[in-house]
Amino acid sequence: MIEFQAVTKRFDDGTTAVDNLDMVVEAGTITVFVGPSGCGKTTSLRMVNRMIEPTSGTVLVDGEDIRKSNPALLRRRIGYVIQQAGLFPHRTVLDNVATVPLLSGWTRRKARARAAELLETVGLDAAMGKRYPSQLSGGQQQRVGVARALAADPPVLLMDEPFSAVDPVVREGLQDELLRLQADLDKTIVFVTHDIDEAVRIGEKVAVFRKGGVLAQYAAPAELLSNPADDFVSSFVGKDRGYRGLSFLQADGIQLGGVSTMGLHGEHLSGERPSTVGGPDWTLVLDDDGRPRGWLPPGVVIQGEPAEEDLRPGGSLYTEGTALRGALDAALSSPSGLGVVVDDAGRYTGVVTAQQVIDLIEERRKDAA
Amino acid sequence: MILQELFGWFGDPAHWQGPDGVPNRMLEHLGYTLLSVFGAAAIAIPLGLYVGHSGRGGVVLVGLSNAMRALPTLGLVTFLFLIAGGSEAGTIVGLIVLAVPPILAGTYSGVQDTDRGVVDAARGMGMTGWQRLWQVEVPNALPLLMGGLRNAALQVVATASVAAYVGLGGLGRLLLDGLRVIDYSKVLAGALFIALLAVLLDLVLAGLQRIIVPRGLRVAAAAVAGRPKARSSGRTES
Ligand SMILES: Nc1ncnc2c1ncn2[C@@H]1O[C@H](COP(=O)(O)OP(=O)(O)OP(=O)(O)O)[C@@H](O)[C@H]1O
Ligand SMILES: [Mg+2]
């Protein structure tokens, strides 16, 4: 747990970077600091590991005033990941990761063994340990940065825009990886970003800062999107926030429809549910394991096996039990207008329409009123 | 022909023996050079590391080393020779003054040019000031530091000839004595040997640089230059 108690930071030139910050970052959660450039996110973060000393106020980590700890020793107990990773160019990837264990007095052997283990944890081939940072892609460097921060198994992890220097696709992969890691590790993570999408995607709690280092709102992402505290927060979370909010609505109670299906060898499979949805007669082709392969448009007559060129690629798939946003996206992106629903193993279980999603939202709204 | 005369000069065994022989003059010259470069390094490297590491006194440092560069070496050596009472010490001090600025500049800018993110990460991971200096800043400063050292060595080799002006030895003797008796072969031989010494010394320092600069930095420099990556036993396919 990290506590900010009336923390203010004023730099020598008179800039107030953080203004009277009072907040509690709960243990075992990912808490995101978000806000426009220059609003004091980095300054707040760096006051936790004493890279910056507050002008006034107190920061507590696990109940202890950090001013009581020696800064170097304190920092070895707090993982730190920065933008561009900041890897040591003169050391191999393995030795980069082994840095903090070595500083803490581990033997070289033990530290390297631990480092190799961590490379795998963050999804890198252990053979990459022999390379130098300049021989890695940006995304790989960020993974190494995360591995290095985790090496001494610190309970707290500070991450300052760790993924902002990589392209959006890689970034999304890294975010997923972080969420997966956190499910196992259960660290107290403070994550700084200026990207609201990233904030609501990975944050369990989100702190929105405004210019002058003032905390504007501190809430769970769903709350932030549905109930912004003021005009600043509402404009900062952006114009897509209604749609984004669907990420936090569960889709339970949605009635799945059926559609006629065909196997890869041309055999007609009967849908498990009667076709409850109207519309043109598209046929969904499934592989031998029951996973969707693509759509056959209405009116296409298949003799024997459907050929690859007859198939229209499907849209995104919606996995049962996940948030409503995925269901809507599946319906909107499907060539037939029918969103394909699959189970955890990726097997076809039914279809859903955009209208159904909208109806469900309307229903919820009525219930809430 | 000057070349024939030069070969004649080389062929004369008298020129290779005794206190005025080439081997002895070369050793004297090398001695002045090494003494001055080591002396300068002992002053400039710690100072450069301190200023680069702490960030304090950078402006003073740059001003000071520019002022030192502006001093006329010959005048300085003569002056120091006179106040040092005609000993070698004056000459050596003069050469040290010449060698300090390039080493200082190389060391200081080597530390300064270390990626700020890298230094920040080192601090954030819990390195103490000393650990950061030795484990991060010094290794990263080595290419520029060695560049400064090589520069200083070249300048000192060339300038150590001034020792002869104040009656000391070294290859400068060949130049001066040759000029006095208008023996151009001797002058030319002196110049050639000074050049040879400079090349050899630079080769040795280049070899040293190759050994002590971490391989990761060479790999990174090659990657930036867009050349094929440096040979590496550790490279794997992925
Ligand atoms: N060392 C410093 N000296 C003076 N002012 C500073 C210093 N560091 C930061 N500031 C100022 O403090 C304010 C907050 O800076 P901070 O780096 O915390 O912002 P940020 O929210 O992390 O912004 P960004 O998203 O651009 O990284 C800014 O106005 C900045 O200019
Ligand atoms: Mg910042």
Side-chain angles (χ1 to χ4, degrees):
Chain A
M1 191 171 72
I2 303 168
E3 273 176 85
F4 293 88
Q5 295 178 344
V7 173
T8 293
K9 177 66 191 182
R10 206 166 291 115
F11 285 105
D12 293 338
D13 63 359
T15 318
T16 302
V18 177
D19 194 6
N20 201 20
L21 178 63
D22 265 306
M23 72 181 287
V24 175
V25 172
E26 285 147 39
T29 63
I30 301 184
T31 299
V32 178
F33 290 0
V34 70
S37 186
C39 67
K41 308 178 293 288
T42 297
T43 306
S44 302
L45 187 81
R46 284 162 70 91
M47 286 193 288
V48 176
N49 62 358
R50 295 191 66 183
M51 296 290 278
I52 295 178
E53 301 287 352
T55 310
S56 64
T58 309
V59 180
L60 307 173
V61 173
D62 289 330
E64 202 188 313
D65 186 341
I66 57 170
R67 273 171 302 194
K68 296 208 177 84
S69 314
N70 168 294
L73 297 181
L74 174 78
R75 291 175 195 145
R76 288 177 204 169
R77 292 187 280 121
I78 298 179
Y80 186 47
V81 187
I82 55 175
Q83 196 186 350
Q84 312 283 12
L87 300 180
F88 301 143
H90 60 292
R91 287 191 179 169
T92 61
V93 166
L94 198 69
D95 285 343
N96 261 284
V97 178
T99 302
V100 181
L102 283 175
L103 289 175
S104 309
W106 297 27
T107 62
R108 192 162 287 273
R109 235 179 105 164
K110 196 170 150 224
R112 285 200 171 139
R114 166 80 178 145
E117 197 179 291
L118 270 163
L119 284 182
E120 305 217 344
T121 306
V122 298
L124 289 176
D125 193 352
M128 274 196 194
K130 293 194 195 119
R131 292 202 195 171
Y132 288 97
S134 63
Q135 295 171 318
L136 301 183
S137 70
Q140 289 167 337
Q141 289 183 17
Q142 286 305 340
R143 284 169 196 262
V144 176
V146 173
R148 185 172 68 171
L150 289 172
D153 204 16
V156 175
L157 205 55
L158 307 178
M159 309 180 83
D160 195 351
E161 307 205 20
F163 307 148
S164 62
V166 293
D167 70 69
V169 177
V170 176
R171 188 182 312 150
E172 212 164 286
L174 289 168
Q175 291 165 351
D176 288 340
E177 197 84 6
L178 180 68
L179 291 174
R180 185 184 61 74
L181 270 176
Q182 169 67 353
D184 293 341
L185 299 174
D186 213 26
K187 305 278 182 201
T188 305
I189 300 179
V190 183
F191 187 109
V192 167
T193 179
H194 53 245
D195 176 0
I196 184 70
D197 279 314
E198 185 167 63
V200 300
R201 188 147 191 271
I202 67 166
E204 287 162 77
K205 288 288 274 301
V206 175
V208 183
F209 287 77
R210 75 166 99 236
K211 276 244 148 52
V214 179
L215 181 60
Q217 188 170 10
Y218 182 37
E223 166 81 5
L224 200 68
L225 294 171
S226 63
N227 209 355
D230 56 25
D231 288 348
F232 166 75
V233 177
S234 109
S235 75
F236 187 74
V237 298
K239 63 180 190 304
D240 289 336
R241 70 187 165 96
Y243 178 61
R244 252 190 246 122
L246 293 179
S247 301
F248 306 101
L249 281 185
Q250 285 309 307
D252 27 283
I254 209 160
Q255 195 63 44
L256 296 191
V259 70
S260 61
T261 54
M262 180 186 277
L264 276 182
H265 312 293
E267 70 276 27
H268 274 275
L269 310 164
S270 53
E272 281 167 26
R273 293 183 185 81
S275 178
T276 55
V277 271
D281 227 359
W282 288 72
T283 304
L284 185 65
V285 177
L286 307 176
D287 70 9
D288 294 341
D289 295 323
R291 294 195 182 90
R293 284 294 299 271
W295 288 97
L296 286 177
V300 174
V301 183
I302 296 296
Q303 308 287 344
E305 300 192 3
E308 203 63 48
E309 59 265 25
D310 294 330
L311 289 181
R312 295 278 193 82
S316 63
L317 299 175
Y318 169 61
T319 308
E320 268 183 308
T322 60
L324 213 48
R325 182 175 177 166
L328 186 58
D329 194 68
L332 294 177
S333 64
S334 168
S336 63
L338 302 169
V340 178
V341 185
V342 295
D343 62 14
D344 285 337
R347 285 185 299 258
Y348 163 80
T349 60
V351 292
V352 63
T353 62
Q355 191 58 52
Q356 282 179 286
V357 177
I358 304 288
D359 289 347
L360 189 72
I361 296 168
E362 291 296 327
E363 217 171 284
R364 293 264 174 83
R365 180 159 297 160
K366 254 179 261 155
D367 291 350
Chain B
M1 277 307 292
I2 183 92
L3 266 185
Q4 269 166 336
E5 283 174 34
L6 189 63
F7 284 128
W9 195 93
F10 282 138
D12 185 345
H15 294 144
W16 297 87
Q17 289 158 10
D20 197 33
V22 169
N24 185 51
R25 290 296 181 218
M26 203 131 171
L27 278 180
E28 283 171 344
H29 203 97
L30 188 65
Y32 300 148
T33 303
L34 292 183
L35 207 57
S36 316
V37 172
F38 279 128
I43 297 166
I45 292 177
L47 193 61
L49 289 180
Y50 172 77
V51 174
H53 174 81
S54 69
R56 267 180 295 221
V59 181
V60 177
L61 187 92
V62 170
L64 195 74
S65 73
N66 282 341
M68 279 170 83
R69 273 186 230 257
L71 289 175
T73 310
L74 181 58
L76 185 73
V77 167
T78 316
F79 174 71
L80 288 168
F81 179 81
L82 290 176
I83 60 166
S87 75
E88 288 185 1
T91 312
I92 299 298
V93 170
L95 291 175
I96 286 178
V97 169
L98 177 75
V100 161
I103 303 179
L104 198 55
T107 308
Y108 170 69
S109 52
V111 175
Q112 274 292 298
D113 283 4
T114 305
D115 186 299
R116 288 297 98 191
V118 169
V119 176
D120 192 62
R123 227 158 67 80
M125 278 189 299
M127 287 193 182
T128 62
W130 283 109
Q131 286 169 334
R132 182 156 47 96
L133 178 69
W134 289 114
Q135 296 185 30
V136 178
E137 286 165 342
V138 168
N140 280 284
L142 280 175
L144 286 182
L145 189 158
M146 286 303 295
L149 203 64
R150 285 166 72 177
N151 244 328
L154 286 180
Q155 286 187 34
V156 170
V157 168
T159 315
S161 321
V162 301
Y165 279 98
V166 290
L168 296 172
L171 290 166
R173 282 250 71 86
L174 301 186
L175 300 181
L176 270 193
D177 299 348
L179 278 177
R180 200 160 46 223
V181 299
I182 320 191
D183 177 355
Y184 290 120
S185 300
K186 192 168 186 171
V187 174
L188 200 54
L192 282 175
F193 282 117
I194 289 170
L196 182 70
L197 197 60
V199 170
L200 289 178
L201 205 58
D202 197 51
L203 276 179
V204 170
L205 287 175
L208 180 68
Q209 179 167 3
R210 220 180 142 72
I211 293 167
I212 65 173
V213 169
R215 209 172 67 85
L217 294 183
R218 273 185 278 133
V219 173
V224 168
R227 282 185 283 125
K229 292 188 177 141
R231 266 179 299 122
S232 145
S233 53
R235 257 186 83 67
T236 49
E237 302 309 313
S238 72

